[in-house]
Coordinates of all heavy atoms in Angstrom, one line a residue:
M1 N -16.4 -8.5 8.3 CA -15.5 -9.3 9.1 C -14.1 -8.8 9.1 O -13.6 -8.4 8.0 CB -15.5 -10.7 8.4 CG -14.7 -11.7 9.2 SD -14.5 -13.3 8.4 CE -13.5 -12.9 7.0
F2 N -13.5 -8.7 10.3 CA -12.2 -8.1 10.4 C -11.2 -9.2 10.1 O -11.2 -10.3 10.6 CB -12.0 -7.7 11.9 CG -10.6 -7.1 12.1 CD1 -10.2 -5.9 11.7 CD2 -9.7 -7.9 12.8 CE1 -9.0 -5.4 12.0 CE2 -8.4 -7.4 13.1 CZ -8.1 -6.2 12.6
V3 N -10.3 -8.9 9.2 CA -9.1 -9.8 8.9 C -7.9 -9.1 9.4 O -7.5 -8.0 8.9 CB -9.0 -10.1 7.4 CG1 -7.8 -10.9 7.1 CG2 -10.3 -10.7 6.9
A4 N -7.2 -9.7 10.4 CA -6.0 -9.1 10.9 C -4.8 -9.3 9.9 O -4.7 -10.4 9.3 CB -5.7 -9.8 12.3
L5 N -4.0 -8.3 9.8 CA -2.9 -8.4 8.9 C -1.6 -8.3 9.7 O -0.6 -9.1 9.4 CB -2.9 -7.2 7.9 CG -4.1 -7.1 7.0 CD1 -3.9 -5.9 6.1 CD2 -4.2 -8.4 6.1
E6 N -1.5 -7.5 10.7 CA -0.2 -7.3 11.4 C -0.5 -6.9 12.8 O -1.5 -6.2 13.1 CB 0.6 -6.3 10.6 CG 2.0 -6.1 11.1 CD 2.8 -7.3 11.1 OE1 2.8 -8.0 12.1 OE2 3.5 -7.6 10.1
R7 N 0.5 -7.1 13.7 CA 0.5 -6.5 15.0 C 0.9 -5.1 15.0 O 1.9 -4.8 14.3 CB 1.3 -7.4 16.0 CG 0.8 -8.8 16.1 CD 1.7 -9.6 17.0 NE 1.6 -9.0 18.4 CZ 2.6 -9.2 19.3 NH1 3.6 -9.9 19.1 NH2 2.4 -8.7 20.6
L8 N 0.3 -4.2 15.7 CA 0.6 -2.8 15.7 C 2.1 -2.6 16.0 O 2.7 -1.7 15.5 CB -0.3 -2.0 16.6 CG -1.8 -1.9 16.2 CD1 -2.5 -1.2 17.3 CD2 -1.9 -1.1 14.9
I9 N 2.6 -3.4 17.0 CA 3.9 -3.2 17.4 C 5.0 -3.4 16.3 O 6.1 -2.9 16.4 CB 4.2 -4.2 18.7 CG1 5.4 -3.7 19.5 CG2 4.3 -5.6 18.2 CD1 5.5 -4.4 20.8
N10 N 4.6 -4.1 15.3 CA 5.5 -4.4 14.2 C 5.5 -3.3 13.1 O 6.3 -3.3 12.2 CB 5.2 -5.7 13.5 CG 5.4 -6.9 14.4 OD1 6.3 -6.8 15.3 ND2 4.7 -7.9 14.3
L11 N 4.6 -2.3 13.3 CA 4.5 -1.3 12.2 C 5.5 -0.1 12.5 O 5.3 0.6 13.4 CB 3.1 -0.7 12.2 CG 2.0 -1.7 11.7 CD1 0.7 -1.1 11.8 CD2 2.3 -2.3 10.4
Q12 N 6.5 -0.1 11.7 CA 7.5 1.0 11.8 C 7.8 1.5 10.4 O 7.6 0.8 9.5 CB 8.8 0.5 12.5 CG 8.6 0.3 14.0 CD 9.5 -0.7 14.6 OE1 10.4 -1.2 13.9 NE2 9.2 -1.1 15.8
D13 N 8.4 2.7 10.4 CA 8.8 3.3 9.1 C 9.6 2.3 8.3 O 10.5 1.6 8.9 CB 9.5 4.6 9.2 CG 8.6 5.8 9.1 OD1 7.4 5.6 8.9 OD2 9.1 6.9 9.4
G14 N 9.4 2.1 7.1 CA 10.1 1.1 6.3 C 9.4 -0.3 6.2 O 9.8 -1.1 5.4
Y15 N 8.4 -0.4 7.0 CA 7.7 -1.7 7.0 C 7.0 -1.8 5.6 O 6.4 -0.9 5.1 CB 6.6 -1.7 8.1 CG 5.7 -2.9 8.0 CD1 6.0 -4.0 8.8 CD2 4.6 -3.0 7.2 CE1 5.2 -5.2 8.8 CE2 3.8 -4.1 7.1 CZ 4.1 -5.2 7.9 OH 3.3 -6.3 7.9
R16 N 7.1 -3.0 5.0 CA 6.4 -3.3 3.7 C 6.1 -4.8 3.6 O 7.1 -5.6 3.7 CB 7.4 -2.8 2.6 CG 6.7 -2.6 1.3 CD 7.8 -2.2 0.3 NE 8.2 -0.9 0.3 CZ 8.8 -0.3 -0.7 NH1 8.9 -0.9 -1.8 NH2 9.1 1.0 -0.7
R17 N 4.9 -5.1 3.4 CA 4.6 -6.6 3.3 C 3.3 -6.8 2.5 O 2.4 -5.9 2.5 CB 4.4 -7.1 4.7 CG 4.6 -8.6 4.8 CD 4.5 -9.2 6.2 NE 3.9 -10.5 6.1 CZ 3.4 -11.2 7.1 NH1 3.5 -10.7 8.3 NH2 2.8 -12.3 6.9
T18 N 3.3 -7.8 1.8 CA 2.1 -8.1 1.0 C 1.3 -9.2 1.6 O 1.8 -10.1 2.4 CB 2.5 -8.6 -0.4 OG1 3.3 -9.8 -0.3 CG2 3.3 -7.6 -1.2
F19 N 0.0 -9.1 1.4 CA -1.0 -10.1 1.9 C -2.0 -10.4 0.8 O -2.3 -9.6 -0.1 CB -1.8 -9.5 3.1 CG -0.9 -9.0 4.2 CD1 -0.4 -7.8 4.2 CD2 -0.7 -9.9 5.3 CE1 0.5 -7.4 5.3 CE2 0.1 -9.5 6.3 CZ 0.7 -8.2 6.3
R20 N -2.5 -11.6 0.9 CA -3.6 -12.0 0.0 C -4.9 -12.1 0.8 O -5.0 -12.9 1.7 CB -3.3 -13.3 -0.7 CG -4.1 -13.5 -1.9 CD -3.5 -14.4 -2.9 NE -4.4 -14.5 -4.1 CZ -4.3 -13.6 -5.1 NH1 -3.3 -12.8 -5.2 NH2 -5.1 -13.7 -6.1
V21 N -5.9 -11.3 0.5 CA -7.1 -11.2 1.2 C -8.3 -11.2 0.2 O -8.3 -10.3 -0.7 CB -7.2 -10.0 2.1 CG1 -8.6 -10.0 2.8 CG2 -6.1 -10.0 3.1
A22 N -9.1 -12.2 0.3 CA -10.3 -12.2 -0.5 C -10.0 -12.1 -2.0 O -10.6 -11.4 -2.8 CB -11.3 -11.2 -0.1
G23 N -8.9 -12.8 -2.4 CA -8.5 -12.9 -3.8 C -7.8 -11.6 -4.3 O -7.5 -11.5 -5.5
R24 N -7.5 -10.7 -3.4 CA -6.8 -9.5 -3.8 C -5.4 -9.5 -3.1 O -5.2 -9.9 -2.0 CB -7.5 -8.3 -3.2 CG -8.6 -7.8 -4.0 CD -8.7 -6.3 -3.8 NE -9.3 -5.6 -4.9 CZ -10.5 -5.1 -4.9 NH1 -11.3 -5.2 -3.8 NH2 -11.0 -4.5 -5.9
E25 N -4.4 -9.0 -3.9 CA -3.1 -8.9 -3.4 C -3.0 -7.5 -2.8 O -3.2 -6.5 -3.5 CB -2.1 -9.1 -4.5 CG -0.6 -8.9 -4.0 CD 0.1 -10.2 -3.9 OE1 -0.4 -11.2 -4.2 OE2 1.3 -10.1 -3.5
L26 N -2.7 -7.4 -1.5 CA -2.6 -6.1 -0.8 C -1.2 -5.8 -0.4 O -0.4 -6.7 -0.1 CB -3.5 -6.1 0.4 CG -5.0 -6.4 0.2 CD1 -5.7 -6.4 1.5 CD2 -5.6 -5.5 -0.8
L27 N -0.9 -4.5 -0.3 CA 0.4 -4.1 0.1 C 0.2 -3.2 1.3 O -0.4 -2.1 1.2 CB 1.1 -3.3 -1.0 CG 2.5 -2.7 -0.7 CD1 3.5 -3.8 -0.3 CD2 3.0 -1.9 -1.9
L28 N 0.8 -3.6 2.5 CA 0.7 -2.8 3.7 C 2.1 -2.1 3.8 O 3.1 -2.8 3.8 CB 0.4 -3.6 4.9 CG 0.4 -2.9 6.3 CD1 -0.7 -1.8 6.3 CD2 0.1 -4.0 7.4
L29 N 2.1 -0.8 4.0 CA 3.4 -0.2 4.2 C 3.2 1.0 5.2 O 2.1 1.5 5.4 CB 4.1 0.3 2.9 CG 3.5 1.4 2.0 CD1 4.5 1.8 0.9 CD2 2.2 0.9 1.3
V30 N 4.4 1.3 5.8 CA 4.3 2.4 6.8 C 5.2 3.5 6.2 O 6.4 3.3 5.9 CB 4.8 2.0 8.1 CG1 4.8 3.2 9.1 CG2 4.0 0.8 8.7
V31 N 4.6 4.7 6.0 CA 5.3 5.9 5.5 C 5.1 7.0 6.4 O 4.0 7.4 6.7 CB 4.7 6.2 4.1 CG1 5.4 7.4 3.5 CG2 4.8 5.0 3.1
E32 N 6.2 7.6 6.9 CA 6.1 8.7 7.8 C 5.2 8.3 9.0 O 4.3 9.1 9.3 CB 5.7 10.0 7.1 CG 6.8 10.4 6.1 CD 6.4 11.6 5.2 OE1 5.2 12.0 5.3 OE2 7.2 12.1 4.5
Q33 N 5.5 7.2 9.5 CA 4.8 6.6 10.7 C 3.3 6.4 10.5 O 2.5 6.2 11.4 CB 5.0 7.6 11.9 CG 6.4 7.5 12.4 CD 6.8 8.8 13.0 OE1 6.0 9.5 13.6 NE2 8.1 9.1 12.8
Q34 N 2.9 6.4 9.2 CA 1.4 6.2 8.9 C 1.3 4.9 8.1 O 1.9 4.8 7.0 CB 0.9 7.4 8.2 CG -0.6 7.5 8.2 CD -1.1 8.6 7.3 OE1 -0.4 9.6 7.2 NE2 -2.2 8.4 6.8
P35 N 0.5 3.9 8.6 CA 0.2 2.8 7.8 C -0.7 3.0 6.7 O -1.7 3.8 6.8 CB -0.4 1.8 8.8 CG -0.8 2.6 10.0 CD -0.1 3.9 9.9
L36 N -0.4 2.4 5.5 CA -1.2 2.6 4.3 C -1.5 1.2 3.7 O -0.5 0.4 3.7 CB -0.5 3.5 3.3 CG -0.1 4.9 3.7 CD1 0.9 5.4 2.7 CD2 -1.4 5.7 3.7
L37 N -2.7 1.0 3.2 CA -3.0 -0.2 2.6 C -3.4 0.0 1.2 O -4.3 0.7 0.9 CB -4.1 -0.9 3.4 CG -4.4 -2.4 3.0 CD1 -3.2 -3.3 3.2 CD2 -5.6 -2.9 3.8
L38 N -2.6 -0.6 0.2 CA -2.9 -0.4 -1.2 C -3.1 -1.7 -1.9 O -2.6 -2.8 -1.4 CB -1.6 0.2 -1.9 CG -0.9 1.4 -1.3 CD1 0.4 1.7 -2.0 CD2 -1.9 2.6 -1.3
E39 N -3.7 -1.7 -3.0 CA -3.7 -2.9 -3.9 C -2.3 -3.0 -4.4 O -1.7 -2.0 -4.8 CB -4.7 -2.8 -5.0 CG -4.8 -4.1 -5.8 CD -6.0 -4.1 -6.7 OE1 -6.6 -3.1 -6.9 OE2 -6.2 -5.2 -7.2
N40 N -1.7 -4.2 -4.4 CA -0.3 -4.4 -4.8 C -0.3 -4.5 -6.3 O 0.2 -5.5 -6.9 CB 0.3 -5.6 -4.2 CG 1.8 -5.7 -4.5 OD1 2.4 -4.7 -4.7 ND2 2.3 -7.0 -4.4
R41 N -0.8 -3.5 -7.0 CA -0.9 -3.5 -8.4 C -0.9 -2.1 -8.9 O -1.7 -1.3 -8.5 CB -2.3 -4.2 -8.7 CG -2.5 -4.4 -10.2 CD -3.9 -5.1 -10.4 NE -4.0 -5.4 -11.8 CZ -4.3 -4.5 -12.7 NH1 -4.6 -3.3 -12.4 NH2 -4.4 -4.9 -14.0
C42 N 0.0 -1.8 -9.8 CA 0.2 -0.5 -10.3 C -1.0 -0.2 -11.3 O -1.3 -1.0 -12.2 CB 1.5 -0.3 -11.0 SG 1.8 1.3 -11.8
P43 N -1.7 1.0 -11.1 CA -2.8 1.3 -12.0 C -2.3 1.6 -13.4 O -3.2 1.8 -14.3 CB -3.4 2.5 -11.3 CG -2.6 2.9 -10.2 CD -1.5 1.9 -10.0
H44 N -1.0 1.8 -13.6 CA -0.6 2.1 -14.9 C -0.7 0.8 -15.8 O -1.6 0.8 -16.7 CB 0.9 2.6 -14.9 CG 1.4 2.9 -16.3 ND1 2.6 2.3 -16.7 CD2 0.9 3.6 -17.3 CE1 2.8 2.7 -18.0 NE2 1.8 3.5 -18.3
Q45 N 0.1 -0.2 -15.5 CA -0.1 -1.4 -16.4 C 0.0 -2.7 -15.5 O 0.4 -3.8 -16.0 CB 0.9 -1.5 -17.5 CG 0.6 -0.5 -18.6 CD 1.5 -0.6 -19.8 OE1 2.2 -1.6 -20.0 NE2 1.5 0.4 -20.6
G46 N -0.3 -2.6 -14.2 CA -0.5 -3.8 -13.5 C 0.7 -4.4 -12.8 O 0.5 -5.5 -12.2
A47 N 1.8 -3.8 -12.8 CA 3.0 -4.3 -12.2 C 2.8 -4.4 -10.7 O 2.1 -3.5 -10.1 CB 4.2 -3.5 -12.5
P48 N 3.4 -5.3 -10.0 CA 3.3 -5.3 -8.5 C 4.0 -4.1 -8.0 O 5.0 -3.6 -8.6 CB 3.9 -6.6 -8.1 CG 4.7 -7.1 -9.2 CD 4.1 -6.5 -10.5
L49 N 3.6 -3.6 -6.8 CA 4.2 -2.4 -6.3 C 5.1 -2.6 -5.0 O 5.6 -1.7 -4.5 CB 3.1 -1.4 -5.9 CG 2.4 -0.7 -7.0 CD1 1.2 0.1 -6.5 CD2 3.3 0.2 -7.8
H50 N 5.2 -3.9 -4.6 CA 5.9 -4.1 -3.4 C 7.4 -3.8 -3.5 O 8.1 -3.6 -2.5 CB 5.7 -5.6 -2.9 CG 6.2 -6.6 -3.9 ND1 5.3 -7.3 -4.7 CD2 7.4 -7.1 -4.1 CE1 6.0 -8.1 -5.4 NE2 7.3 -8.0 -5.1
N51 N 7.9 -3.7 -4.8 CA 9.3 -3.4 -4.9 C 9.5 -1.9 -5.5 O 10.5 -1.6 -6.0 CB 10.1 -4.3 -5.8 CG 9.4 -4.4 -7.2 OD1 8.3 -3.9 -7.4 ND2 10.1 -5.1 -8.1
A52 N 8.4 -1.1 -5.4 CA 8.5 0.3 -5.8 C 9.4 1.0 -4.9 O 9.7 0.7 -3.7 CB 7.1 0.9 -5.7
T53 N 9.9 2.1 -5.4 CA 10.9 3.0 -4.7 C 10.0 4.0 -3.9 O 9.1 4.6 -4.5 CB 11.8 3.7 -5.6 OG1 12.4 2.7 -6.5 CG2 13.0 4.4 -4.9
L54 N 10.5 4.3 -2.7 CA 9.7 5.3 -1.9 C 10.7 6.5 -1.7 O 11.8 6.3 -1.3 CB 9.4 4.7 -0.6 CG 8.3 5.3 0.3 CD1 7.0 5.5 -0.5 CD2 8.1 4.5 1.5
S55 N 10.1 7.7 -1.9 CA 10.9 8.9 -1.6 C 9.9 9.9 -1.0 O 9.1 10.4 -1.6 CB 11.5 9.4 -3.0 OG 11.9 10.7 -2.8
G56 N 10.1 10.1 0.3 CA 9.1 10.8 1.0 C 7.8 10.1 0.9 O 7.6 9.0 1.2
R57 N 6.8 10.9 0.4 CA 5.5 10.3 0.2 C 5.2 10.0 -1.2 O 4.0 9.8 -1.7 CB 4.4 11.2 0.7 CG 4.5 11.4 2.2 CD 3.2 12.1 2.8 NE 2.1 11.3 2.5 CZ 1.6 10.4 3.4 NH1 2.3 10.1 4.5 NH2 0.6 9.7 3.1
V58 N 6.2 9.8 -2.0 CA 6.1 9.5 -3.4 C 6.5 8.0 -3.7 O 7.7 7.7 -3.4 CB 6.9 10.5 -4.3 CG1 6.8 10.1 -5.8 CG2 6.3 11.9 -4.2
L59 N 5.7 7.3 -4.3 CA 5.9 5.9 -4.6 C 6.2 5.8 -6.1 O 5.4 6.2 -6.9 CB 4.7 5.0 -4.2 CG 4.9 3.5 -4.2 CD1 5.8 3.1 -3.0 CD2 3.6 2.8 -4.0
R60 N 7.3 5.2 -6.5 CA 7.7 5.1 -7.9 C 7.7 3.6 -8.3 O 8.5 2.8 -7.8 CB 9.1 5.7 -8.1 CG 9.5 5.8 -9.5 CD 10.9 6.5 -9.6 NE 11.2 6.8 -10.9 CZ 11.8 6.0 -11.8 NH1 12.2 4.7 -11.4 NH2 12.1 6.4 -13.0
C61 N 6.8 3.3 -9.2 CA 6.7 1.9 -9.7 C 7.9 1.5 -10.4 O 8.5 2.3 -11.2 CB 5.5 1.8 -10.6 SG 5.3 0.2 -11.3
A62 N 8.4 0.3 -10.2 CA 9.7 -0.1 -10.7 C 9.6 -0.4 -12.2 O 10.6 -0.3 -13.0 CB 10.2 -1.4 -10.0
R63 N 8.4 -0.6 -12.7 CA 8.3 -1.1 -14.1 C 8.5 0.1 -15.1 O 9.4 -0.1 -16.0 CB 7.0 -1.8 -14.4 CG 7.0 -2.3 -15.8 CD 6.1 -3.4 -16.1 NE 6.1 -4.6 -15.3 CZ 5.2 -5.5 -15.2 NH1 4.1 -5.4 -16.0 NH2 5.3 -6.5 -14.4
H64 N 7.7 1.1 -15.1 CA 7.9 2.2 -16.0 C 8.2 3.6 -15.3 O 8.2 4.6 -16.0 CB 6.7 2.4 -16.9 CG 6.2 1.1 -17.5 ND1 5.1 0.5 -17.1 CD2 6.7 0.4 -18.5 CE1 4.9 -0.6 -17.9 NE2 5.9 -0.7 -18.7
G65 N 8.3 3.6 -14.0 CA 8.7 4.8 -13.3 C 7.6 5.8 -13.1 O 7.8 6.9 -12.8
V66 N 6.3 5.3 -13.2 CA 5.2 6.2 -12.8 C 5.3 6.5 -11.3 O 5.5 5.5 -10.5 CB 3.9 5.7 -13.3 CG1 2.7 6.6 -12.8 CG2 3.8 5.6 -14.8
E67 N 5.2 7.7 -11.0 CA 5.2 8.1 -9.5 C 3.8 8.5 -9.0 O 3.0 9.1 -9.8 CB 6.1 9.3 -9.4 CG 7.6 9.0 -9.7 CD 8.5 10.2 -9.6 OE1 8.0 11.3 -9.6 OE2 9.7 9.9 -9.5
F68 N 3.5 8.1 -7.8 CA 2.2 8.3 -7.2 C 2.4 9.0 -5.9 O 3.3 8.7 -5.1 CB 1.5 7.0 -7.0 CG 1.2 6.2 -8.2 CD1 2.1 5.3 -8.7 CD2 0.0 6.4 -8.9 CE1 1.8 4.6 -9.9 CE2 -0.3 5.7 -10.1 CZ 0.7 4.8 -10.5
D69 N 1.6 10.0 -5.7 CA 1.5 10.7 -4.4 C 0.7 9.9 -3.5 O -0.5 9.6 -3.7 CB 0.8 12.1 -4.6 CG 0.7 12.9 -3.3 OD1 0.8 12.3 -2.3 OD2 0.4 14.1 -3.4
L70 N 1.3 9.4 -2.4 CA 0.6 8.5 -1.5 C -0.5 9.2 -0.7 O -1.4 8.6 -0.1 CB 1.6 7.9 -0.5 CG 2.5 6.8 -1.2 CD1 3.5 6.3 -0.2 CD2 1.6 5.6 -1.6
H71 N -0.4 10.5 -0.6 CA -1.5 11.3 0.0 C -2.8 11.2 -0.8 O -3.8 10.8 -0.2 CB -1.1 12.8 0.1 CG -0.9 13.3 1.4 ND1 -1.7 13.0 2.5 CD2 0.1 14.0 1.9 CE1 -1.2 13.5 3.6 NE2 -0.1 14.2 3.3
S72 N -2.7 11.5 -2.0 CA -3.9 11.5 -2.9 C -4.1 10.2 -3.7 O -5.2 10.0 -4.1 CB -3.8 12.7 -3.8 OG -2.7 12.5 -4.7
G73 N -3.0 9.5 -3.8 CA -3.1 8.3 -4.7 C -2.9 8.6 -6.2 O -2.8 7.7 -7.0
Q74 N -2.8 9.9 -6.5 CA -2.8 10.3 -7.9 C -1.4 10.2 -8.5 O -0.4 10.4 -7.8 CB -3.2 11.8 -8.0 CG -4.6 12.1 -7.6 CD -5.7 11.4 -8.5 OE1 -5.5 11.3 -9.7 NE2 -6.8 11.0 -7.9
P75 N -1.4 9.8 -9.8 CA -0.1 9.8 -10.5 C 0.4 11.2 -10.7 O -0.3 12.1 -10.9 CB -0.5 9.1 -11.9 CG -1.9 9.4 -12.1 CD -2.5 9.5 -10.7
L76 N 1.8 11.3 -10.7 CA 2.4 12.6 -10.8 C 3.0 12.9 -12.2 O 3.2 14.0 -12.6 CB 3.5 12.8 -9.8 CG 3.0 12.7 -8.3 CD1 4.2 12.7 -7.4 CD2 2.1 13.9 -8.0
N77 N 3.4 11.8 -12.9 CA 4.1 12.0 -14.1 C 3.6 11.2 -15.3 O 4.3 10.8 -16.2 CB 5.6 11.7 -13.9 CG 5.8 10.3 -13.4 OD1 4.9 9.6 -13.1 ND2 7.1 9.8 -13.3
A78 N 2.4 10.8 -15.2 CA 1.7 10.0 -16.3 C 0.2 10.1 -16.1 O -0.3 10.5 -15.1 CB 2.2 8.5 -16.2
R79 N -0.4 9.7 -17.2 CA -1.9 9.7 -17.1 C -2.3 8.3 -16.9 O -2.2 7.4 -17.8 CB -2.5 10.2 -18.4 CG -2.6 11.7 -18.6 CD -3.1 12.0 -19.9 NE -2.9 13.4 -20.1 CZ -4.0 14.3 -20.2 NH1 -5.2 13.8 -20.2 NH2 -3.8 15.5 -20.4
C80 N -2.8 8.0 -15.7 CA -3.4 6.7 -15.5 C -4.3 6.8 -14.2 O -4.3 7.9 -13.6 CB -2.3 5.6 -15.3 SG -1.3 5.8 -13.8
P81 N -5.0 5.8 -13.9 CA -5.9 6.0 -12.7 C -5.1 6.1 -11.4 O -3.9 5.8 -11.4 CB -6.7 4.6 -12.7 CG -6.6 4.1 -14.1 CD -5.3 4.6 -14.6
A82 N -5.7 6.5 -10.4 CA -5.1 6.6 -9.1 C -4.8 5.3 -8.4 O -5.4 4.3 -8.9 CB -5.9 7.5 -8.1
L83 N -4.0 5.2 -7.5 CA -3.8 4.0 -6.7 C -5.1 3.5 -6.0 O -5.9 4.4 -5.6 CB -2.8 4.2 -5.6 CG -1.3 4.5 -6.0 CD1 -0.5 5.0 -4.7 CD2 -0.7 3.3 -6.6
S84 N -5.3 2.2 -5.9 CA -6.4 1.7 -5.2 C -6.0 1.6 -3.7 O -5.0 0.8 -3.4 CB -6.8 0.3 -5.7 OG -7.3 0.4 -6.9
R85 N -6.7 2.3 -2.9 CA -6.3 2.2 -1.4 C -7.5 1.7 -0.6 O -8.6 1.8 -1.1 CB -6.0 3.6 -0.9 CG -4.7 4.2 -1.7 CD -4.3 5.5 -1.1 NE -5.3 6.5 -1.3 CZ -5.2 7.8 -0.9 NH1 -4.2 8.2 -0.3 NH2 -6.2 8.6 -1.2
F86 N -7.2 1.1 0.5 CA -8.2 0.5 1.3 C -8.1 1.1 2.7 O -7.1 1.4 3.2 CB -8.0 -1.0 1.4 CG -8.1 -1.7 0.1 CD1 -6.9 -1.9 -0.7 CD2 -9.3 -2.1 -0.5 CE1 -6.9 -2.5 -1.9 CE2 -9.3 -2.7 -1.7 CZ -8.2 -2.9 -2.4
D87 N -9.3 1.2 3.3 CA -9.3 1.7 4.7 C -8.8 0.6 5.6 O -9.1 -0.6 5.5 CB -10.8 2.0 5.1 CG -11.3 3.2 4.4 OD1 -10.5 4.1 4.1 OD2 -12.5 3.3 4.3
L88 N -8.0 1.0 6.6 CA -7.5 0.1 7.6 C -8.5 0.0 8.8 O -9.2 1.0 9.0 CB -6.1 0.6 8.1 CG -5.0 0.3 7.1 CD1 -3.8 1.2 7.3 CD2 -4.6 -1.2 7.2
A89 N -8.5 -1.1 9.4 CA -9.3 -1.3 10.6 C -8.4 -1.8 11.7 O -7.3 -2.3 11.5 CB -10.4 -2.3 10.3
Y90 N -8.9 -1.6 12.9 CA -8.1 -1.9 14.1 C -8.9 -2.8 15.0 O -10.1 -2.6 15.2 CB -7.7 -0.6 14.8 CG -6.8 0.2 14.0 CD1 -7.3 1.1 13.1 CD2 -5.4 0.1 14.1 CE1 -6.5 1.9 12.3 CE2 -4.6 0.9 13.3 CZ -5.1 1.8 12.4 OH -4.3 2.5 11.6
D91 N -8.3 -3.7 15.6 CA -8.9 -4.6 16.6 C -7.9 -5.0 17.7 O -7.0 -5.7 17.4 CB -9.5 -5.8 15.9 CG -10.3 -6.7 16.9 OD1 -10.6 -6.2 18.1 OD2 -10.7 -7.8 16.6
G92 N -8.0 -4.4 18.8 CA -7.0 -4.7 19.9 C -5.6 -4.2 19.4 O -5.4 -3.1 19.0
D93 N -4.7 -5.2 19.4 CA -3.3 -4.8 19.1 C -3.0 -5.2 17.6 O -1.9 -5.3 17.2 CB -2.3 -5.5 20.0 CG -2.3 -7.0 19.8 OD1 -3.3 -7.5 19.2 OD2 -1.4 -7.7 20.3
R94 N -4.1 -5.3 16.8 CA -3.9 -5.7 15.4 C -4.4 -4.6 14.5 O -5.4 -4.0 14.8 CB -4.7 -7.0 15.1 CG -4.4 -8.1 16.1 CD -3.2 -8.9 15.7 NE -2.9 -9.8 16.8 CZ -2.2 -10.9 16.6 NH1 -2.0 -11.4 15.4 NH2 -1.9 -11.6 17.7
I95 N -3.8 -4.6 13.3 CA -4.3 -3.8 12.2 C -4.7 -4.7 11.1 O -4.1 -5.8 11.0 CB -3.2 -2.8 11.8 CG1 -3.8 -1.7 10.8 CG2 -2.0 -3.5 11.0 CD1 -2.8 -0.6 10.6
G96 N -5.7 -4.3 10.4 CA -6.2 -5.2 9.4 C -7.2 -4.5 8.5 O -7.2 -3.3 8.3
I97 N -8.1 -5.3 7.9 CA -9.1 -4.8 7.0 C -10.4 -5.4 7.2 O -10.5 -6.6 7.6 CB -8.6 -5.1 5.5 CG1 -9.5 -4.5 4.5 CG2 -8.3 -6.5 5.3 CD1 -8.9 -4.6 3.1
D98 N -11.5 -4.7 7.0 CA -12.8 -5.2 7.1 C -13.2 -5.7 5.7 O -13.2 -4.9 4.8 CB -13.8 -4.2 7.6 CG -13.7 -3.9 9.1 OD1 -13.6 -5.0 9.8 OD2 -13.9 -2.8 9.6
V99 N -13.6 -6.9 5.6 CA -14.0 -7.4 4.3 C -15.5 -7.9 4.4 O -16.0 -8.2 5.5 CB -13.1 -8.6 3.8 CG1 -11.7 -8.0 3.6 CG2 -13.1 -9.7 4.8
Ligands
FES1 S1 3.1 -0.7 -14.5 FE1 3.7 0.7 -13.0 S2 4.6 2.3 -14.1 FE2 3.8 1.0 -15.7

C-alpha cells in the first residue's frame, strides 16, 4: 500500500520533515536534489536525526557527533550500524513509501 508523504513540488534542497508511518518515525530530506528517506533514529544510540547537521552528503548526529555518509549510510567516525534507509515510491505528483 502506497502511503503519500509529500508533494513532489515541495521537495527542494534543505527540505527536512518527519513522518510517523506504521509505528516508525521517518525522516524525509532532500540532499543535493535527491530525496532520501531514513529512520529518524541514530543507529549509534537512538537519538532523533531530524536536527542533525548536514555538510554535503555527510549527516552528523547532534547527540554524540557520529557522522554518516548518506550515500552508503555507513558511519565515518565511530563503530555502529549503518543508517536505516527506506526505498521511496512515487504516485502521480506525490512521493511516499510502500508499506
Ligand atoms: S546517538 Fe547519534 S551519535 Fe550517538
Side-chain angles (χ1 to χ4, degrees):
M1 182 185 70
F2 177 77
V3 176
L5 299 177
E6 185 58 272
R7 297 179 67 201
L8 291 174
I9 198 166
N10 294 331
L11 295 179
Q12 284 150 11
D13 266 356
Y15 177 96
R16 201 183 277 203
R17 202 175 143 194
T18 59
F19 300 88
R20 197 157 184 89
V21 178
R24 276 208 154 108
E25 178 108 1
L26 305 179
L27 175 63
L28 176 63
L29 66 170
V30 180
V31 180
E32 296 174 350
Q33 288 150 37
Q34 198 183 331
L36 298 166
L37 188 61
L38 311 174
E39 186 167 13
N40 188 26
R41 184 177 187 283
C42 178
H44 178 234
Q45 284 185 19
L49 286 172
H50 59 263
N51 58 351
T53 312
L54 196 57
S55 162
R57 294 194 62 89
V58 174
L59 191 71
R60 184 177 193 274
C61 177
R63 184 158 308 166
H64 309 107
V66 175
E67 296 178 341
F68 297 90
D69 178 345
L70 287 173
H71 248 314
S72 63
Q74 295 297 326
L76 298 173
N77 58 352
R79 278 175 190 248
C80 69
L83 293 170
S84 293
R85 298 184 297 179
F86 301 93
D87 289 335
L88 284 160
Y90 296 85
D91 184 12
D93 66 345
R94 310 273 166 153
I95 192 168
I97 183 172
D98 281 322
V99 294

